[in-house]
Amino acid sequence: MHLYLHVPFCQRRCSYCDFSIAVRKTIPAAEYVAAIRAEVEHGRGAGPIFLTPARPFRGASPGISGEQWVDVPPTIYFGGGTPSLLPPDGVASLLTFLLDASARRLSLDACEVTLEANPEDVTRASADAWRRAGVNRISLGSQSFDDRVLRWMHRVHDAARIGESVKTLRAAGFDNISLDLIFALPQDLERDWGRDLDQALALEPEHLSLYGLTVEERTPLARWVSRGATQAPDDDRYADEYLLAHERLAARGYEFYEVSNAARAGRISRHNSAYWTGRPYLGLGPAAHSFDGRRRSWNKRAWEEYRRAVSAGESPIESEEVLTEEQRRIESVYLGLRTKAGLPVAVVPSDRRAAWAAAGWGEESDGRIRLTAPGWLLLDTLVRDLTGVPSIL
Ligand code: SF4
């Protein structure tokens, strides 16, 4: 099973971010740890077990059918928010508690344990403590190597701190580091995307996640755009920068295994890959989602509301849906096309396959069709065309 913990706290809100966060000067670490424990205790009443080394699952991806035993290492992912704001002993106590609660006592060595960290929180003491706790993968919220851009984003760190953090993490023994970068920023910022890519690659991360900027409602960025203080991201710029990233990363030995994620050999994110292959996962914490193969549920979004529910011994689940066969089929098309696994050719009508090949959007091999980088730029459109569903994403 794959386990996600949402740590909702941040020092401030970044200009583009609409995530479920709680801005706090002082992190209520003890309350958070107690709330997660209470959620697990509550869930145990309903009998879930998790963190078993291999479980049968009904694959959502086309080509995987029926109950199958798959040898997938369990994964634990501390996402946020800013998990690196939790004191490392809070991370350690949660990991110990979760392993004790698992169906079979596992060694953390058998798990991929990721912690999302912001560069300003990485110190030698915190990095050593995360390693001791069992964290073996760090996803670092870098976003840009341009100080002007980082200030515009309302990030706390500066560019120099990113390099220092990677050095510190390496010295503490981390050999699996991912860097996040945001591209397609407004033209008026004059951000040099090629330079940012080069600076990121110079740090030799094992993994990179690249996200195009979107303007989300009720963010500072949305307000700036609506009053004309900056421009909305531009489609041409998005395409140019996305394709440039593919070119630079391929030249340095990285493979895009999903539309926004690239890794060196053997360094894909196993946790995120579980989502993209339709495997079951359990989410803990405010706004966390869970999926058991058919049923998807999500927790109350606001930290205080979530905390009140679990402290009172109530379920924190806000709502749930059971996917129909048709929804599962559509989702599997979307998941297949967004990854390098692609889809079996039989799933895609021959006229579409021919059109995709002629346009350079798809390539066929081994009985599967996979989108190319230009095809991934049109992912939503191609999925809509294939499924006939106007909006599933
Ligand atoms: S640190 Fe991450 S989660 Fe927090 S406000 Fe910034 S982008 Fe959002």
Side-chain angles (χ1 to χ4, degrees), residues 210-271:
L210 310 178
Y211 301 108
L213 184 72
T214 54
V215 182
E216 305 296 341
E217 285 177 21
R218 292 186 292 279
T219 58
L221 176 59
R223 290 194 291 280
W224 299 342
V225 170
S226 74
R227 67 167 191 254
T230 192
Q231 304 136 341
D234 167 279
D235 285 351
D236 289 342
R237 190 178 185 81
Y238 185 104
D240 290 348
E241 294 192 355
Y242 184 72
L243 296 176
L244 181 67
H246 272 261
E247 193 184 305
R248 294 267 165 107
L249 269 60
R252 294 290 296 268
Y254 294 83
E255 183 182 27
F256 271 81
Y257 65 101
E258 193 264 351
V259 60
S260 302
N261 288 277
R264 288 206 154 135
R267 295 303 197 172
I268 65 168
S269 162
R270 295 183 186 286
H271 184 82

Short mmCIF file of all heavy atoms in Angstrom, two decimals, residues 210-271:
data_model
loop_
_atom_site.label_atom_id
_atom_site.label_comp_id
_atom_site.label_asym_id
_atom_site.label_seq_id
_atom_site.Cartn_x
_atom_site.Cartn_y
_atom_site.Cartn_z
N LEU A 210 8.69 19.19 -13.17
CA LEU A 210 8.56 20.49 -13.84
C LEU A 210 7.08 20.81 -14.01
O LEU A 210 6.36 20.05 -14.66
CB LEU A 210 9.24 20.45 -15.20
CG LEU A 210 10.68 19.91 -15.22
CD1 LEU A 210 11.21 19.88 -16.65
CD2 LEU A 210 11.60 20.76 -14.34
N TYR A 211 6.65 21.93 -13.44
CA TYR A 211 5.23 22.28 -13.49
C TYR A 211 5.05 23.61 -14.19
O TYR A 211 5.76 24.58 -13.89
CB TYR A 211 4.65 22.37 -12.07
CG TYR A 211 4.79 21.08 -11.30
CD1 TYR A 211 5.69 20.95 -10.25
CD2 TYR A 211 4.04 19.97 -11.67
CE1 TYR A 211 5.83 19.75 -9.58
CE2 TYR A 211 4.17 18.76 -10.99
CZ TYR A 211 5.07 18.66 -9.95
OH TYR A 211 5.22 17.47 -9.29
N GLY A 212 4.11 23.66 -15.12
CA GLY A 212 3.77 24.92 -15.77
C GLY A 212 2.91 25.76 -14.84
O GLY A 212 2.01 25.24 -14.18
N LEU A 213 3.19 27.06 -14.79
CA LEU A 213 2.42 27.95 -13.91
C LEU A 213 0.98 28.04 -14.40
O LEU A 213 0.72 28.18 -15.58
CB LEU A 213 3.05 29.35 -13.94
CG LEU A 213 2.41 30.37 -13.00
CD1 LEU A 213 2.75 30.07 -11.55
CD2 LEU A 213 2.85 31.79 -13.36
N THR A 214 0.05 27.93 -13.47
CA THR A 214 -1.37 28.16 -13.79
C THR A 214 -1.89 29.23 -12.84
O THR A 214 -1.40 29.35 -11.71
CB THR A 214 -2.22 26.89 -13.65
OG1 THR A 214 -2.02 26.35 -12.34
CG2 THR A 214 -1.86 25.84 -14.69
N VAL A 215 -2.86 29.98 -13.30
CA VAL A 215 -3.44 31.03 -12.45
C VAL A 215 -4.65 30.45 -11.75
O VAL A 215 -5.67 30.16 -12.38
CB VAL A 215 -3.86 32.26 -13.29
CG1 VAL A 215 -4.40 33.36 -12.39
CG2 VAL A 215 -2.67 32.77 -14.10
N GLU A 216 -4.53 30.23 -10.45
CA GLU A 216 -5.63 29.65 -9.67
C GLU A 216 -6.41 30.77 -8.98
O GLU A 216 -5.82 31.77 -8.57
CB GLU A 216 -5.08 28.66 -8.63
CG GLU A 216 -4.20 27.57 -9.21
CD GLU A 216 -4.93 26.63 -10.16
OE1 GLU A 216 -6.18 26.58 -10.11
OE2 GLU A 216 -4.27 25.98 -10.97
N GLU A 217 -7.71 30.54 -8.85
CA GLU A 217 -8.56 31.56 -8.22
C GLU A 217 -8.10 31.83 -6.78
O GLU A 217 -7.57 30.95 -6.11
CB GLU A 217 -10.01 31.05 -8.15
CG GLU A 217 -10.70 31.10 -9.49
CD GLU A 217 -12.10 30.52 -9.39
OE1 GLU A 217 -12.66 30.47 -8.27
OE2 GLU A 217 -12.62 30.12 -10.44
N ARG A 218 -8.37 33.01 -6.34
CA ARG A 218 -8.10 33.45 -4.96
C ARG A 218 -6.63 33.33 -4.56
O ARG A 218 -6.32 33.05 -3.41
CB ARG A 218 -8.99 32.68 -3.96
CG ARG A 218 -10.47 33.03 -4.10
CD ARG A 218 -11.31 32.37 -3.02
NE ARG A 218 -11.35 30.94 -3.19
CZ ARG A 218 -12.17 30.32 -4.04
NH1 ARG A 218 -12.99 31.01 -4.80
NH2 ARG A 218 -12.16 29.01 -4.14
N THR A 219 -5.73 33.50 -5.52
CA THR A 219 -4.30 33.56 -5.19
C THR A 219 -3.82 34.99 -5.47
O THR A 219 -4.45 35.71 -6.27
CB THR A 219 -3.47 32.58 -6.06
OG1 THR A 219 -3.69 32.90 -7.45
CG2 THR A 219 -3.86 31.14 -5.82
N PRO A 220 -2.71 35.40 -4.87
CA PRO A 220 -2.16 36.72 -5.21
C PRO A 220 -1.94 36.85 -6.72
O PRO A 220 -2.23 37.89 -7.30
CB PRO A 220 -0.83 36.75 -4.44
CG PRO A 220 -1.07 35.86 -3.26
CD PRO A 220 -1.96 34.76 -3.77
N LEU A 221 -1.48 35.78 -7.37
CA LEU A 221 -1.24 35.84 -8.81
C LEU A 221 -2.53 36.17 -9.56
O LEU A 221 -2.52 36.99 -10.49
CB LEU A 221 -0.65 34.50 -9.30
CG LEU A 221 -0.43 34.38 -10.81
CD1 LEU A 221 0.51 35.46 -11.33
CD2 LEU A 221 0.13 32.99 -11.16
N ALA A 222 -3.63 35.55 -9.18
CA ALA A 222 -4.91 35.82 -9.86
C ALA A 222 -5.28 37.30 -9.70
O ALA A 222 -5.78 37.92 -10.65
CB ALA A 222 -6.01 34.92 -9.29
N ARG A 223 -5.02 37.85 -8.53
CA ARG A 223 -5.34 39.28 -8.32
C ARG A 223 -4.44 40.16 -9.18
O ARG A 223 -4.90 41.12 -9.79
CB ARG A 223 -5.20 39.65 -6.84
CG ARG A 223 -6.30 39.03 -5.96
CD ARG A 223 -6.34 39.67 -4.58
NE ARG A 223 -5.18 39.32 -3.76
CZ ARG A 223 -5.05 38.17 -3.10
NH1 ARG A 223 -6.00 37.25 -3.16
NH2 ARG A 223 -3.98 37.94 -2.38
N TRP A 224 -3.13 39.81 -9.26
CA TRP A 224 -2.21 40.61 -10.09
C TRP A 224 -2.66 40.58 -11.55
O TRP A 224 -2.64 41.60 -12.22
CB TRP A 224 -0.79 40.06 -9.99
CG TRP A 224 -0.20 40.09 -8.61
CD1 TRP A 224 -0.63 40.84 -7.54
CD2 TRP A 224 0.92 39.33 -8.13
NE1 TRP A 224 0.15 40.59 -6.44
CE2 TRP A 224 1.11 39.68 -6.78
CE3 TRP A 224 1.77 38.40 -8.71
CZ2 TRP A 224 2.12 39.11 -6.00
CZ3 TRP A 224 2.79 37.84 -7.94
CH2 TRP A 224 2.96 38.19 -6.60
N VAL A 225 -3.05 39.38 -12.01
CA VAL A 225 -3.46 39.27 -13.42
C VAL A 225 -4.74 40.07 -13.66
O VAL A 225 -4.86 40.80 -14.63
CB VAL A 225 -3.65 37.77 -13.81
CG1 VAL A 225 -4.31 37.65 -15.18
CG2 VAL A 225 -2.31 37.04 -13.80
N SER A 226 -5.69 39.97 -12.71
CA SER A 226 -6.99 40.64 -12.95
C SER A 226 -6.84 42.16 -12.94
O SER A 226 -7.59 42.86 -13.61
CB SER A 226 -8.05 40.18 -11.94
OG SER A 226 -7.78 40.75 -10.70
N ARG A 227 -5.87 42.70 -12.23
CA ARG A 227 -5.73 44.15 -12.28
C ARG A 227 -4.65 44.61 -13.26
O ARG A 227 -4.27 45.77 -13.29
CB ARG A 227 -5.51 44.74 -10.88
CG ARG A 227 -4.21 44.38 -10.21
CD ARG A 227 -3.97 45.29 -8.98
NE ARG A 227 -2.63 45.12 -8.50
CZ ARG A 227 -2.29 44.46 -7.39
NH1 ARG A 227 -3.23 43.91 -6.65
NH2 ARG A 227 -1.02 44.36 -7.04
N GLY A 228 -4.15 43.65 -14.06
CA GLY A 228 -3.22 43.99 -15.14
C GLY A 228 -1.80 44.23 -14.67
O GLY A 228 -0.97 44.76 -15.43
N ALA A 229 -1.48 43.84 -13.44
CA ALA A 229 -0.13 44.07 -12.93
C ALA A 229 0.87 43.06 -13.51
O ALA A 229 2.07 43.28 -13.49
CB ALA A 229 -0.13 43.99 -11.41
N THR A 230 0.36 41.93 -14.01
CA THR A 230 1.21 40.96 -14.71
C THR A 230 0.34 40.25 -15.74
O THR A 230 -0.89 40.38 -15.72
CB THR A 230 1.87 39.97 -13.73
OG1 THR A 230 2.89 39.25 -14.41
CG2 THR A 230 0.87 38.98 -13.15
N GLN A 231 1.01 39.49 -16.63
CA GLN A 231 0.24 38.80 -17.67
C GLN A 231 0.00 37.36 -17.28
O GLN A 231 0.82 36.76 -16.59
CB GLN A 231 1.02 38.80 -19.00
CG GLN A 231 1.40 40.18 -19.46
CD GLN A 231 2.84 40.23 -19.94
OE1 GLN A 231 3.65 39.36 -19.64
NE2 GLN A 231 3.15 41.27 -20.68
N ALA A 232 -1.11 36.80 -17.78
CA ALA A 232 -1.35 35.37 -17.59
C ALA A 232 -0.31 34.62 -18.41
O ALA A 232 0.16 35.13 -19.43
CB ALA A 232 -2.75 35.02 -18.06
N PRO A 233 0.06 33.41 -17.95
CA PRO A 233 1.05 32.63 -18.72
C PRO A 233 0.56 32.41 -20.15
O PRO A 233 -0.63 32.30 -20.41
CB PRO A 233 1.12 31.32 -17.95
CG PRO A 233 0.63 31.64 -16.58
CD PRO A 233 -0.36 32.74 -16.73
N ASP A 234 1.51 32.34 -21.04
CA ASP A 234 1.22 32.33 -22.47
C ASP A 234 1.45 30.90 -23.02
O ASP A 234 2.41 30.25 -22.67
CB ASP A 234 2.22 33.35 -23.03
CG ASP A 234 2.35 33.33 -24.49
OD1 ASP A 234 3.08 32.48 -25.00
OD2 ASP A 234 1.72 34.19 -25.11
N ASP A 235 0.52 30.42 -23.87
CA ASP A 235 0.59 29.04 -24.38
C ASP A 235 1.86 28.76 -25.18
O ASP A 235 2.46 27.69 -25.07
CB ASP A 235 -0.62 28.74 -25.28
CG ASP A 235 -1.88 28.54 -24.46
OD1 ASP A 235 -1.77 28.46 -23.22
OD2 ASP A 235 -2.97 28.49 -25.06
N ASP A 236 2.27 29.73 -25.98
CA ASP A 236 3.47 29.51 -26.81
C ASP A 236 4.71 29.39 -25.93
O ASP A 236 5.59 28.56 -26.16
CB ASP A 236 3.67 30.68 -27.79
CG ASP A 236 2.61 30.65 -28.88
OD1 ASP A 236 1.98 29.59 -29.05
OD2 ASP A 236 2.40 31.69 -29.52
N ARG A 237 4.75 30.26 -24.93
CA ARG A 237 5.90 30.22 -24.01
C ARG A 237 5.91 28.87 -23.27
O ARG A 237 6.95 28.25 -23.09
CB ARG A 237 5.74 31.37 -23.02
CG ARG A 237 6.94 31.62 -22.15
CD ARG A 237 6.68 32.82 -21.24
NE ARG A 237 7.87 33.14 -20.50
CZ ARG A 237 8.88 33.85 -21.00
NH1 ARG A 237 8.83 34.31 -22.21
NH2 ARG A 237 9.94 34.08 -20.25
N TYR A 238 4.73 28.44 -22.85
CA TYR A 238 4.59 27.15 -22.16
C TYR A 238 5.17 26.03 -23.05
O TYR A 238 6.00 25.23 -22.61
CB TYR A 238 3.11 26.89 -21.88
CG TYR A 238 2.82 25.66 -21.06
CD1 TYR A 238 2.48 25.76 -19.71
CD2 TYR A 238 2.89 24.38 -21.62
CE1 TYR A 238 2.21 24.62 -18.95
CE2 TYR A 238 2.63 23.25 -20.88
CZ TYR A 238 2.28 23.38 -19.54
OH TYR A 238 2.04 22.26 -18.81
N ALA A 239 4.74 26.00 -24.31
CA ALA A 239 5.19 24.94 -25.22
C ALA A 239 6.70 25.01 -25.45
O ALA A 239 7.40 24.00 -25.37
CB ALA A 239 4.44 25.05 -26.55
N ASP A 240 7.20 26.23 -25.70
CA ASP A 240 8.64 26.37 -25.97
C ASP A 240 9.47 25.89 -24.77
O ASP A 240 10.47 25.18 -24.92
CB ASP A 240 8.99 27.84 -26.25
CG ASP A 240 8.43 28.31 -27.59
OD1 ASP A 240 7.99 27.45 -28.38
OD2 ASP A 240 8.42 29.53 -27.82
N GLU A 241 9.05 26.31 -23.58
CA GLU A 241 9.85 25.95 -22.40
C GLU A 241 9.73 24.46 -22.08
O GLU A 241 10.70 23.82 -21.64
CB GLU A 241 9.44 26.83 -21.21
CG GLU A 241 9.80 28.29 -21.47
CD GLU A 241 9.69 29.20 -20.25
OE1 GLU A 241 9.23 28.75 -19.17
OE2 GLU A 241 10.05 30.38 -20.38
N TYR A 242 8.56 23.90 -22.29
CA TYR A 242 8.37 22.47 -22.04
C TYR A 242 9.27 21.65 -22.98
O TYR A 242 9.96 20.72 -22.55
CB TYR A 242 6.89 22.11 -22.24
CG TYR A 242 6.56 20.68 -21.92
CD1 TYR A 242 6.54 20.22 -20.60
CD2 TYR A 242 6.26 19.76 -22.93
CE1 TYR A 242 6.24 18.90 -20.30
CE2 TYR A 242 5.95 18.45 -22.65
CZ TYR A 242 5.94 18.02 -21.32
OH TYR A 242 5.64 16.71 -21.03
N LEU A 243 9.28 22.03 -24.24
CA LEU A 243 10.09 21.29 -25.21
C LEU A 243 11.58 21.49 -24.95
O LEU A 243 12.38 20.56 -25.11
CB LEU A 243 9.72 21.70 -26.64
CG LEU A 243 8.27 21.36 -27.04
CD1 LEU A 243 7.94 21.90 -28.42
CD2 LEU A 243 8.00 19.85 -26.98
N LEU A 244 11.95 22.69 -24.52
CA LEU A 244 13.36 22.93 -24.18
C LEU A 244 13.79 22.03 -23.01
O LEU A 244 14.90 21.47 -23.01
CB LEU A 244 13.58 24.40 -23.81
CG LEU A 244 15.03 24.76 -23.45
CD1 LEU A 244 15.94 24.65 -24.67
CD2 LEU A 244 15.12 26.18 -22.87
N ALA A 245 12.91 21.87 -22.05
CA ALA A 245 13.23 21.00 -20.90
C ALA A 245 13.45 19.56 -21.37
O ALA A 245 14.39 18.89 -20.93
CB ALA A 245 12.11 21.06 -19.87
N HIS A 246 12.60 19.08 -22.27
CA HIS A 246 12.78 17.72 -22.79
C HIS A 246 14.15 17.57 -23.45
O HIS A 246 14.85 16.57 -23.24
CB HIS A 246 11.67 17.38 -23.78
CG HIS A 246 10.45 16.82 -23.11
ND1 HIS A 246 10.18 15.46 -23.06
CD2 HIS A 246 9.46 17.42 -22.43
CE1 HIS A 246 9.06 15.26 -22.39
NE2 HIS A 246 8.60 16.44 -21.99
N GLU A 247 14.51 18.58 -24.23
CA GLU A 247 15.79 18.52 -24.96
C GLU A 247 16.97 18.51 -23.98
O GLU A 247 17.85 17.65 -24.04
CB GLU A 247 15.82 19.77 -25.84
CG GLU A 247 16.86 19.80 -26.90
CD GLU A 247 16.80 21.18 -27.59
OE1 GLU A 247 15.71 21.57 -28.07
OE2 GLU A 247 17.84 21.87 -27.58
N ARG A 248 16.97 19.47 -23.04
CA ARG A 248 18.11 19.57 -22.10
C ARG A 248 18.22 18.33 -21.21
O ARG A 248 19.31 17.85 -20.93
CB ARG A 248 17.95 20.79 -21.19
CG ARG A 248 18.02 22.12 -21.88
CD ARG A 248 19.43 22.70 -21.88
NE ARG A 248 19.50 23.77 -22.85
CZ ARG A 248 19.56 25.06 -22.56
NH1 ARG A 248 19.63 25.45 -21.31
NH2 ARG A 248 19.59 25.96 -23.52
N LEU A 249 17.08 17.86 -20.73
CA LEU A 249 17.14 16.73 -19.80
C LEU A 249 17.54 15.44 -20.51
O LEU A 249 18.31 14.64 -19.97
CB LEU A 249 15.79 16.55 -19.07
CG LEU A 249 15.67 17.31 -17.75
CD1 LEU A 249 15.84 18.79 -17.90
CD2 LEU A 249 14.37 16.98 -17.04
N ALA A 250 17.04 15.26 -21.72
CA ALA A 250 17.41 14.04 -22.47
C ALA A 250 18.92 14.04 -22.71
O ALA A 250 19.57 13.00 -22.59
CB ALA A 250 16.66 13.99 -23.79
N ALA A 251 19.48 15.21 -23.00
CA ALA A 251 20.92 15.30 -23.27
C ALA A 251 21.74 14.94 -22.03
O ALA A 251 22.91 14.57 -22.13
CB ALA A 251 21.27 16.71 -23.74
N ARG A 252 21.13 15.06 -20.85
CA ARG A 252 21.84 14.75 -19.61
C ARG A 252 21.43 13.40 -19.01
O ARG A 252 21.70 13.12 -17.84
CB ARG A 252 21.59 15.87 -18.58
CG ARG A 252 22.18 17.21 -19.00
CD ARG A 252 23.70 17.21 -18.94
NE ARG A 252 24.15 17.02 -17.57
CZ ARG A 252 24.42 18.01 -16.72
NH1 ARG A 252 24.33 19.26 -17.15
NH2 ARG A 252 24.80 17.77 -15.49
N GLY A 253 20.74 12.58 -19.80
CA GLY A 253 20.45 11.22 -19.36
C GLY A 253 19.20 11.04 -18.52
O GLY A 253 19.03 10.02 -17.86
N TYR A 254 18.31 12.03 -18.56
CA TYR A 254 17.04 11.89 -17.84
C TYR A 254 15.95 11.46 -18.81
O TYR A 254 15.95 11.87 -19.98
CB TYR A 254 16.60 13.23 -17.21
CG TYR A 254 17.51 13.71 -16.13
CD1 TYR A 254 18.67 14.42 -16.44
CD2 TYR A 254 17.22 13.47 -14.78
CE1 TYR A 254 19.53 14.88 -15.45
CE2 TYR A 254 18.07 13.94 -13.79
CZ TYR A 254 19.22 14.64 -14.13
OH TYR A 254 20.06 15.10 -13.14
N GLU A 255 15.01 10.65 -18.30
CA GLU A 255 13.89 10.24 -19.13
C GLU A 255 12.59 10.76 -18.52
O GLU A 255 12.36 10.59 -17.31
CB GLU A 255 13.82 8.71 -19.23
CG GLU A 255 12.70 8.28 -20.14
CD GLU A 255 12.55 6.76 -20.24
OE1 GLU A 255 12.93 6.05 -19.27
OE2 GLU A 255 12.06 6.29 -21.27
N PHE A 256 11.76 11.40 -19.33
CA PHE A 256 10.43 11.77 -18.85
C PHE A 256 9.60 10.49 -18.78
O PHE A 256 9.33 9.86 -19.79
CB PHE A 256 9.77 12.78 -19.80
CG PHE A 256 10.09 14.20 -19.47
CD1 PHE A 256 11.29 14.77 -19.87
CD2 PHE A 256 9.19 14.97 -18.73
CE1 PHE A 256 11.60 16.08 -19.55
CE2 PHE A 256 9.51 16.29 -18.40
CZ PHE A 256 10.70 16.84 -18.81
N TYR A 257 9.22 10.09 -17.58
CA TYR A 257 8.40 8.89 -17.44
C TYR A 257 6.95 9.26 -17.19
O TYR A 257 6.09 8.40 -17.09
CB TYR A 257 8.95 7.98 -16.33
CG TYR A 257 8.89 8.57 -14.93
CD1 TYR A 257 7.90 8.19 -14.04
CD2 TYR A 257 9.83 9.50 -14.50
CE1 TYR A 257 7.83 8.72 -12.77
CE2 TYR A 257 9.78 10.04 -13.23
CZ TYR A 257 8.77 9.65 -12.37
OH TYR A 257 8.71 10.18 -11.11
N GLU A 258 6.70 10.56 -17.07
CA GLU A 258 5.34 11.08 -16.91
C GLU A 258 5.39 12.50 -17.43
O GLU A 258 6.47 13.10 -17.55
CB GLU A 258 4.96 11.05 -15.41
CG GLU A 258 3.50 11.26 -15.12
CD GLU A 258 3.15 12.69 -14.77
OE1 GLU A 258 4.08 13.53 -14.58
OE2 GLU A 258 1.96 13.00 -14.70
N VAL A 259 4.23 13.05 -17.75
CA VAL A 259 4.18 14.33 -18.45
C VAL A 259 5.00 15.42 -17.74
O VAL A 259 5.61 16.26 -18.41
CB VAL A 259 2.70 14.74 -18.67
CG1 VAL A 259 1.93 14.88 -17.37
CG2 VAL A 259 2.56 15.99 -19.49
N SER A 260 5.06 15.41 -16.41
CA SER A 260 5.77 16.47 -15.68
C SER A 260 7.00 15.99 -14.92
O SER A 260 7.59 16.76 -14.17
CB SER A 260 4.83 17.11 -14.64
OG SER A 260 3.69 17.62 -15.26
N ASN A 261 7.36 14.72 -15.06
CA ASN A 261 8.42 14.16 -14.22
C ASN A 261 9.46 13.40 -15.03
O ASN A 261 9.11 12.59 -15.89
CB ASN A 261 7.80 13.21 -13.18
CG ASN A 261 7.05 13.98 -12.11
OD1 ASN A 261 7.64 14.47 -11.16
ND2 ASN A 261 5.74 14.14 -12.30
N ALA A 262 10.72 13.66 -14.69
CA ALA A 262 11.83 13.01 -15.38
C ALA A 262 12.81 12.48 -14.34
O ALA A 262 12.96 13.08 -13.27
CB ALA A 262 12.53 14.02 -16.30
N ALA A 263 13.45 11.36 -14.68
CA ALA A 263 14.35 10.75 -13.70
C ALA A 263 15.51 10.09 -14.39
O ALA A 263 15.44 9.74 -15.57
CB ALA A 263 13.60 9.72 -12.87
N ARG A 264 16.58 9.91 -13.62
CA ARG A 264 17.67 9.06 -14.08
C ARG A 264 17.24 7.61 -13.89
O ARG A 264 16.30 7.33 -13.14
CB ARG A 264 18.93 9.36 -13.27
CG ARG A 264 19.50 10.71 -13.65
CD ARG A 264 20.99 10.76 -13.37
NE ARG A 264 21.63 11.72 -14.24
CZ ARG A 264 22.52 12.61 -13.84
NH1 ARG A 264 22.90 12.64 -12.57
NH2 ARG A 264 23.06 13.44 -14.70
N ALA A 265 17.96 6.69 -14.54
CA ALA A 265 17.57 5.27 -14.51
C ALA A 265 17.38 4.79 -13.07
O ALA A 265 18.24 5.04 -12.21
CB ALA A 265 18.62 4.45 -15.21
N GLY A 266 16.27 4.13 -12.81
CA GLY A 266 15.99 3.55 -11.50
C GLY A 266 15.57 4.55 -10.45
O GLY A 266 15.43 4.19 -9.27
N ARG A 267 15.35 5.80 -10.82
CA ARG A 267 15.05 6.82 -9.82
C ARG A 267 13.67 7.47 -9.99
O ARG A 267 13.47 8.60 -9.55
CB ARG A 267 16.12 7.92 -9.86
CG ARG A 267 17.49 7.43 -9.44
CD ARG A 267 17.45 6.81 -8.08
NE ARG A 267 18.78 6.71 -7.50
CZ ARG A 267 19.02 6.35 -6.26
NH1 ARG A 267 18.01 6.03 -5.46
NH2 ARG A 267 20.25 6.29 -5.81
N ILE A 268 12.76 6.77 -10.62
CA ILE A 268 11.41 7.32 -10.72
C ILE A 268 10.81 7.41 -9.31
O ILE A 268 11.27 6.73 -8.39
CB ILE A 268 10.49 6.46 -11.60
CG1 ILE A 268 10.26 5.08 -10.99
CG2 ILE A 268 11.06 6.34 -13.02
CD1 ILE A 268 9.15 4.30 -11.67
N SER A 269 9.81 8.27 -9.14
CA SER A 269 9.11 8.31 -7.87
C SER A 269 8.14 7.13 -7.82
O SER A 269 7.18 7.08 -8.58
CB SER A 269 8.32 9.62 -7.73
OG SER A 269 7.34 9.49 -6.71
N ARG A 270 8.42 6.17 -6.94
CA ARG A 270 7.54 5.00 -6.87
C ARG A 270 6.18 5.38 -6.31
O ARG A 270 5.16 4.80 -6.66
CB ARG A 270 8.19 3.91 -6.01
CG ARG A 270 9.44 3.38 -6.63
CD ARG A 270 10.05 2.23 -5.82
NE ARG A 270 11.33 1.86 -6.39
CZ ARG A 270 11.49 1.17 -7.51
NH1 ARG A 270 10.45 0.78 -8.19
NH2 ARG A 270 12.69 0.89 -7.95
N HIS A 271 6.20 6.36 -5.42
CA HIS A 271 4.93 6.78 -4.82
C HIS A 271 4.00 7.38 -5.89
O HIS A 271 2.86 6.95 -6.04
CB HIS A 271 5.19 7.79 -3.71
CG HIS A 271 3.95 8.17 -2.98
ND1 HIS A 271 3.40 7.42 -1.97
CD2 HIS A 271 3.10 9.21 -3.18
CE1 HIS A 271 2.29 7.98 -1.55
NE2 HIS A 271 2.07 9.07 -2.28
#
